[in-house]
């Protein structure tokens, strides 16, 4: 009788990469999403893609390989047409004794192997396995990359920029030829944008300095220098980006905004462009807006199980205000969009007022604020209330007028979502009162407030136990010795998948404050924020730091990252005072 193959979950449990409950979670997710268990394990970030590929290789008795340039035989890439390599995401490795060795990522894709036998005229194909992302990255680098890299292109442009402009014998500039001048600049801008999108950047910063133009990509919330463009190309680069984004190229004295829409690697990507005058010229920032980034669902935001259940209950309430607070770039919009998608049903009418509308969603009525024609937040909100909505999203409560209308909407039976710029959840109550909103309105309308930050997650491919975590950083994160004794603290070693940073991707840390009778009384009495915070803690609310501690102990992130984002108040001062002589 034939021996049954082990399931991939069983293999990964045997490899000690996942636990049986995690496999059960992935199987349930796979059934719901119509995916395979391995894909779900990676999507839920329970396991690395490399581990899944190794488990598949064991399951099907195939060889697993690490992709590198030295792995391929000379001329191997010419064994299969480029069109087939890109279409099926495969890599030819070598051909020996009539056998074609091919790197694949899906051992069940027998149709592709049959097609290769027919197209390449080879009867025997020997498949080996590697992660899909590694195969894709190698294909992009080998086949899709431009003739010159960004570094080489900028250097060559610096050397040849004088030739791309027609000059007369006196050296005076004439009109630039489109063929000579525009093409290199277009190529440079396309490389910068494509490289940023493929590198998971959220922003592209093009910043003029006194002697150069600095290009930086913001990846996982951290700015990384990429390239220095020669100063003489500054005008051409700025003009090209302004033309692409529909910005007035003649206006250089005031800030301007625009948008670009491009198709990159089969996906439509929007870019929100901001041009701001600076000392050495206009600084340009491109915010990369990926539709998939706000469609990740509530499960992927980083909630612990108890916070997730609380969040679900709050957003299902029929009326009241739910506020999400935090600084710019803390993921507030993504959280609110995830909540709206959960509620977006045919029987619910959802209207949003945003400045600007960054992502379009079917089934929602999204209104763009336009201050230049008087279409402000408060005017849109007043019009919304005549549209009989069930749910309202206000991009941000900025002033008294917007706050009062939002509260009025909540008190008249609408569920209102909005954001506020405060450091923590209790501060939002005092912030609204300071705006001029009457305390009894704040106390009666707010259902819950959630503060959040985004922290980088340890890369799944290179995560390992930190043998000697820094005790100072652990104290900065508010840990006491008994909390971490005998518990592993993890870090990222650094690998090619995470660009040797040790981190890949971000998730939230949260502080959830649900209003209760005591908190409403404190808000009504204009109590100071320290008393509100104390009452919130007494009612079971966790701080951002405490949620960060949980995620350190679960191996999601590192003490360095939590200390960078949020620190325990007064820890250093207390230690210094304790150490000081009396």
């Amino acid at each position: 009788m034939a021996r049954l193959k082990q399931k991939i979950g069983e293999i990964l449990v045997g490899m000690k990469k996942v636990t049986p409950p995690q496999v059960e979670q992935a199987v349930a997710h796979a059934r719901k999403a119509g995916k395979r268990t391995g894909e779900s394990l990676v999507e839920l970030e329970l396991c690395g893609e490399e581990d899944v590929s190794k488990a598949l290789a064991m399951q099907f008795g195939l060889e697993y390989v690490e992709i590198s340039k030295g792995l391929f035989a000379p001329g191997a890439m010419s064994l299969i047409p480029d069109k087939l390599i890109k279409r099926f995401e495969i890599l030819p490795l070598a051909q020996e004794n009539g056998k074609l060795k091919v790197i694949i990522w899906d051992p069940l894709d027998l149709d592709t192997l049959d097609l290769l036998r027919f197209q390449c005229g080879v009867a025997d194909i020997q498949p080996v396995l590697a992660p899909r992302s590694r195969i894709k990255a190698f294909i992009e680098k080998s086949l899709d990359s431009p003739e010159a890299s960004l570094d080489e292109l900028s250097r060559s442009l610096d050397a040849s920029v004088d030739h791309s402009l027609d000059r007369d014998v006196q050296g005076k500039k004439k009109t630039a030829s489109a063929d000579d001048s525009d093409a290199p600049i277009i190529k440079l801008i396309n490389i910068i944008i494509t490289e940023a999108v493929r590198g998971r950047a959220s922003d592209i910063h093009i910043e003029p300095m006194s002697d150069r133009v600095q290009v930086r990509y913001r990846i996982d919330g951290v700015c990384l220098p990429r390239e220095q463009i020669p100063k003489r190309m500054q005008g051409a680069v700025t003009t090209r980006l302004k033309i692409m984004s529909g910005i007035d190229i003649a206006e250089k004295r005031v800030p301007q905004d625009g948008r670009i829409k491009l198709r990159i690697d089969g996906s439509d990507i929007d870019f929100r462009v901001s041009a701001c005058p600076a000392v050495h010229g206009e600084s340009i920032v491109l915010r990369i807006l990926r539709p998939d980034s706000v469609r990740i669902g509530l499960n992927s935001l980083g909630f612990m199980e108890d916070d997730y259940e609380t969040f679900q209950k709050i957003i299902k309430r029929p009326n009241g205000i739910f506020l999400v607070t935090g600084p710019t770039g803390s993921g507030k919009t993504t959280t609110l969009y995830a909540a709206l998608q959960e509620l977006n049903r045919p029987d619910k009418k959802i209207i949003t007022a945003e400045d600007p509308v960054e992502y379009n969603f079917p089934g929602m009525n999204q209104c763009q604020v336009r201050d230049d024609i008087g279409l402000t937040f408060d005017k849109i909100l007043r019009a919304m209330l005549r549209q009989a909505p069930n749910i309202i999203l206000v991009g941000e409560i900025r002033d008294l007028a917007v706050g009062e209308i939002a509260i009025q909407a909540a008190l008249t039976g609408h569920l209102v979502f909005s954001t506020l710029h405060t450091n923590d959840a209790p501060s939002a109550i005092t912030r609204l009162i300071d705006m001029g909103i009457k305390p009894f309105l704040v106390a009666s309308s707010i259902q819950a407030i959630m503060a959040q930050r985004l922290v980088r997650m340890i890369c799944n491919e290179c995560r390992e136990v930190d043998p000697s975590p820094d005790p100072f950083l652990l104290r900065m994160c508010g840990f006491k010795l008994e909390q971490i004794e005998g518990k592993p603290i993890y870090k990222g070693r650094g690998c090619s998948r995470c660009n040797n940073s040790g981190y890949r991707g971000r998730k939230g840390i949260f502080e959830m404050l649900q209003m209760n009778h005591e908190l409403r009384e404190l808000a009504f009495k204009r109590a100071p924020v320290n008393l509100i915070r104390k009452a919130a803690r007494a009612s079971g609310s966790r701080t951002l730091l405490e949620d960060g501690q949980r995620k350190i102990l679960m191996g999601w992130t590192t003490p360095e990252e939590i200390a960078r984002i949020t620190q325990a108040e007064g820890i250093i001062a207390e230690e210094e005072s304790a150490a000081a002589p009396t």
Side-chain angles (χ1 to χ4, degrees), residues 38-229:
E39 290 176 306
S40 293
L41 283 166
V42 175
E43 188 176 310
L44 296 173
E45 297 189 359
L46 300 172
C47 186
E49 188 183 14
E50 184 178 344
D51 295 324
V52 172
S53 290
K54 288 177 179 176
L56 282 171
M58 291 173 63
Q59 186 182 31
F60 288 90
L62 299 175
E63 179 187 355
Y64 175 86
V65 294
E66 295 280 355
I67 296 177
S68 64
K69 284 187 177 179
L71 181 68
F72 296 82
M77 293 298 287
S78 61
L79 294 172
I80 298 176
D82 291 353
K83 186 177 179 180
L84 294 180
I85 290 175
K86 292 179 183 178
R87 179 181 170 189
F88 297 111
E89 294 176 338
I90 55 175
L91 288 169
L93 197 55
Q95 187 169 13
E96 297 175 355
N97 303 322
K99 289 184 180 180
L100 179 60
K101 202 171 185 179
V102 179
I103 303 175
I104 63 171
W105 58 272
D106 183 1
L108 293 173
D109 189 4
L110 303 178
D111 291 340
T112 296
L113 298 178
D114 288 339
L115 181 65
L116 288 177
R117 291 186 184 96
F118 175 74
Q119 291 278 354
C120 302
V122 178
D124 194 353
I125 291 184
Q126 182 183 349
V128 297
L129 281 189
R132 185 180 188 180
S133 61
R134 302 280 179 87
I135 295 173
K136 194 172 181 181
F138 192 88
I139 290 171
E140 288 171 356
K141 191 174 181 181
S142 303
L143 302 179
D144 292 343
S145 62
E147 294 175 2
S149 67
L150 178 55
D151 309 303
E152 293 167 348
L153 180 59
S154 61
R155 284 194 293 268
S156 67
L157 283 171
D158 186 28
S160 62
V161 71
D162 290 337
H163 300 291
S164 56
L165 295 171
D166 293 331
R167 293 174 179 267
D168 60 14
V169 289
Q170 284 82 23
K172 295 179 182 178
K173 293 182 183 178
K174 291 183 179 179
T175 304
S177 158
D179 291 337
D180 293 336
S181 170
D182 289 348
I185 295 299
I186 290 171
K187 188 176 182 182
L188 174 65
I189 297 300
N190 288 344
I191 291 174
I192 290 172
I193 290 174
T194 303
E195 185 178 66
V197 171
R198 289 175 177 171
R200 301 182 303 106
S202 60
D203 302 271
I204 304 170
H205 298 262
I206 298 174
E207 304 159 323
M209 307 292 178
S210 59
D211 57 346
R212 67 192 188 282
V213 178
Q214 175 72 57
V215 177
R216 296 193 295 170
Y217 301 151
R218 187 182 294 277
I219 300 174
D220 291 335
V222 178
C223 277
L224 303 174
R226 176 58 188 90
E227 180 53 36
Q228 295 181 6
I229 298 173

Side-chain angles (χ1 to χ4, degrees), residues 319 385 407-414:
N319 55 54
L385 297 179
I407 284 175
Q408 194 62 41
L411 293 175
T412 53
H414 302 87

Side-chain angles (χ1 to χ4, degrees), residues 215-258:
V215 177
R216 296 193 295 170
Y217 301 151
R218 187 182 294 277
I219 300 174
D220 291 335
V222 178
C223 277
L224 303 174
R226 176 58 188 90
E227 180 53 36
Q228 295 181 6
I229 298 173
K231 182 69 175 178
R232 64 177 71 187
M233 292 168 57
Q234 177 179 325
V237 168
T238 302
T239 300
R240 174 60 186 165
L241 286 169
K242 283 186 166 186
I243 290 170
M244 292 174 72
S245 54
I247 293 176
D248 183 0
I249 62 173
E251 182 57 76
K252 301 179 181 179
R253 301 164 298 171
V254 297
Q256 297 185 83
D257 296 316

